Amino acid sequence: MDSRAFCTSSRIFIVAGKGGVGKTTVSAALARMAALAGLSPLIVEVEGRSGLTALFGRAGVLGYGQIELAAAGSPEGAGAVQGRTITPDDALLEYLDDHGMRRLSRRLTRTGMIDVVATAVPGIKDILVLGKVKQLERERTADVIIVDAPAAGHAITFLESAHGLLDAARAGPIRTQAQEVADLLNDPARSQVILVTLPEETPVNELVDTAYALEDRVGVALGPVVVNGVYPPLAGLDVDPLDAAAEAGIGLDPEEAEALRAAAAFRHQRVELQQQQTARLADALPLPQLAVPFLFTDRLGRPELERLAHALTDAVSALGGE
C-alpha cells in the first residue's frame, strides 16, 4: 500500500492512545505523510494544550480558526497542512450564531451555562466537538482530517457519546446530531481510529483494552496500530569495543571499553524487550503495526517531524508485503 492510498482509505483518522505515548506527534507525522503524498490534510486538536505548532516550526498555539502549519510545494508536489482546535464552547457558539441566536450564544458562554448544560446532558460537549468534525468532513474542508483525540480513557467516552445521547434523546436536534455522528463513526470509509502505543507493557495493555472497548461499544473501524518509540537497528553492537578501536586505529582504556560494553548490552536489552511487547501486541490484537522510530533528541521540531513522516511512509509501504 502506498501512503496516498492509505491516507484516502478514510476521510477522518482519529488518533488515540494512552497519555504520553506520542499521539500528538503521530498525528502530526500522519498529516505530514499525507501532505508528502500530495494531499491537503487538516489536523484537529480537541484538548487545547498540544505542541502541534512547535512540531511544524511555528510559534503560538492553535485556535478555533484554521491556520496553515506547513505550506504546499515543499518539496514539490506536497500539499499544505492546516490545523485548528475545536472546543465545545466555540462549537456551540458557532452553531447558535449560524441559527440566528448570537445573543443567546454570548450569554451562555459568558455565564458558564454550558457547564450546567453539560452536567444535565452527559456527552453533549463531546457531541458538539464531533458534530463540528462531521461538518468539516461533509464540507470536504480537507482531503483528510486527522483528529488528535483525548487520551485513551476519555477517548472511549468521547467516541461513545453519540450512542449515549441516542438512548437519552428520543427526538429533536440533539438526537439528529447524535445519529449523524454515530453514522459517521460507523462508516469505515468516513472514519477510522488509529491507536498509538509504546512498545512497553503498560501502554500495550491499555491499547488492547481500548481497542476492544471501541469495537464493542462504539463500532468504529480500527486502522493499523502505530508503535511509537521503536529503537532503530544499530550496526556494530556485537563487536567488542577494543577490537573496533584497534581496527580504527584508536586507543581505548579499560574503563572506556567497559562503559561501551555496558551501553551495547543496555541497547540489546531494550530492543529485546520492545520486540517481546510488539509480539505480545500482535498476539492480543490482530491488526497491522506501523513502527515509528525513537529519536534520540531532547526536542521535536520540523526536522524531526520530517524524519518521522518518512518513517511512517516506509512503514505504510511495507504493509503491502505482509
Side-chain angles (χ1 to χ4, degrees):
M1 179 180 291
D2 63 51
S3 57
R4 187 181 180 91
F6 177 85
C7 292
T8 55
S9 61
S10 188
R11 293 198 288 273
I12 299 173
F13 289 100
I14 301 166
V15 183
K18 176 181 171 64
V21 299
K23 65 182 181 62
T24 295
T25 301
V26 169
S27 297
L30 183 59
R32 185 57 181 158
M33 177 179 74
L36 292 172
L39 302 171
S40 296
L42 167 65
I43 307 177
V44 172
E45 200 277 325
V46 301
E47 291 189 307
R49 56 179 183 271
S50 75
L52 273 169
T53 51
L55 285 167
F56 285 91
R58 298 285 300 271
V61 296
L62 292 177
Y64 193 69
Q66 193 164 301
I67 66 167
E68 186 176 81
L69 293 172
S74 180
E76 185 177 355
V81 180
Q82 304 286 329
R84 66 178 298 168
T85 293
I86 298 178
T87 65
D89 288 15
D90 287 326
L92 177 60
L93 190 70
E94 183 181 61
Y95 177 84
L96 293 175
D97 283 354
D98 290 344
H99 288 77
M101 293 178 280
R102 177 181 296 270
R103 183 174 298 177
L104 173 62
S105 69
R106 302 294 178 186
R107 182 172 298 176
L108 280 174
T109 53
R110 186 172 58 250
T111 61
M113 281 300 295
I114 188 172
D115 292 324
V116 177
V117 174
T119 301
V121 188
I124 192 67
K125 282 193 171 186
D126 294 331
I127 281 295
L128 287 167
V129 172
L130 288 168
K132 180 60 181 178
V133 172
K134 176 208 66 181
Q135 178 188 342
L136 295 173
E137 182 260 345
R138 281 186 170 177
E139 294 174 349
R140 297 295 197 271
T141 304
D143 294 325
V144 58
I145 298 172
I146 297 154
V147 179
D148 182 14
H154 183 194
I156 296 173
T157 57
F158 175 69
L159 297 173
E160 196 180 18
S161 59
H163 294 283
L165 286 173
L166 283 175
D167 293 336
R170 298 301 177 185
I174 291 179
R175 180 176 177 82
T176 300
Q177 185 77 294
Q179 184 62 65
E180 291 178 352
V181 168
D183 292 343
L184 168 71
L185 295 176
N186 293 332
D187 185 349
R190 297 178 68 192
S191 66
Q192 294 182 39
V193 170
I194 301 291
L195 292 171
V196 182
T197 188
L198 297 175
E200 300 171 6
E201 183 175 2
T202 299
V204 166
N205 289 343
E206 185 158 339
L207 180 138
V208 172
D209 291 342
T210 299
Y212 284 111
L214 289 173
E215 284 191 328
D216 294 342
R217 292 157 53 182
V218 181
V220 66
L222 299 179
V225 173
V226 175
V227 183
N228 191 24
V230 176
Y231 277 33
L234 188 59
L237 286 181
D238 294 323
V239 179
D240 187 80
L242 291 175
D243 294 338
E247 184 176 345
I250 300 172
L252 283 180
D253 63 41
E255 289 186 359
E256 291 173 329
E258 188 55 37
L260 289 171
R261 291 190 191 100
F266 175 79
R267 181 65 175 260
H268 273 303
Q269 182 185 39
R270 292 297 302 169
V271 169
E272 183 178 350
L273 288 172
Q274 289 190 345
Q275 290 173 344
Q276 290 173 359
Q277 294 304 320
T278 54
R280 190 169 67 86
L281 174 60
D283 289 340
L285 194 63
L287 291 173
Q289 296 180 14
L290 303 174
V292 175
F294 183 91
L295 299 184
F296 293 86
T297 178
D298 59 355
R299 65 174 298 277
L300 292 177
R302 185 63 183 268
E304 291 76 22
L305 178 60
E306 293 296 304
R307 291 175 59 188
L308 294 174
H310 284 288
L312 194 55
T313 300
D314 292 341
V316 167
S317 298
L319 289 179
E322 294 181 355

